[in-house]
Amino acid sequence: MLYKFKSRATPDLIMFEPNGRRVLQIVGKFSEDRRGILLPAEMPAAVAALEAAITQDEAQRRAAEAKATDRGEELPEAEGVSLRQRATPFIEMLRRCEAAGKEIVWGV
């Protein structure tokens, strides 16, 4: 399954379901029916939530690496694609849509 985020201010953004669900959970917009809208007034908070989640994700990774190094263990295997890499296109979409005053919709 896919999430297809649409706006009149940007090209469509497509994410695989697990990645789209995670992004929507972070910004507080996940719903079981897989449809929704993000209004321009909500976008600054969404960007802030995503940036905070990215910072936390990266801090957890660094802590796990430090712990493994202290114990003399192999470093834990990194996720193939980080949250930063997955969320950056959505953050850019949010910023452009906010500047243009256009909403983002999905599942419609």
Side-chain angles (χ1 to χ4, degrees):
M1 298 293 298
L2 298 172
Y3 274 96
K4 186 174 188 178
F5 299 98
K6 302 180 215 177
S7 176
R8 290 180 282 165
T10 64
D12 293 350
L13 176 64
I14 298 171
M15 290 186 186
F16 286 114
E17 194 276 334
N19 305 319
R21 180 178 3 98
R22 184 173 182 199
V23 166
L24 290 174
Q25 287 170 334
I26 291 168
V27 300
K29 286 292 191 169
F30 176 74
S31 82
E32 291 296 329
D33 69 359
R34 299 175 28 94
R35 294 184 301 179
I37 185 169
L38 197 66
L39 301 173
E42 300 170 311
M43 292 177 187
V47 169
L50 285 166
E51 289 176 340
I54 290 167
T55 299
Q56 181 182 8
D57 184 64
E58 291 172 346
Q60 288 173 345
R61 175 70 185 161
R62 284 190 302 275
E65 289 173 351
K67 186 176 180 181
T69 301
D70 290 345
R71 292 182 175 180
E73 300 170 352
E74 286 190 35
L75 296 177
E77 192 167 318
E79 180 182 332
V81 179
S82 70
L83 177 60
R84 176 178 297 282
Q85 291 167 311
R86 293 196 190 282
T88 296
F90 191 67
I91 291 171
E92 181 61 28
M93 184 180 203
L94 287 166
R95 288 183 173 142
R96 289 177 59 192
C97 290
E98 179 191 5
K102 302 294 182 186
E103 65 280 344
I104 298 172
V105 297
W106 57 94
V108 294

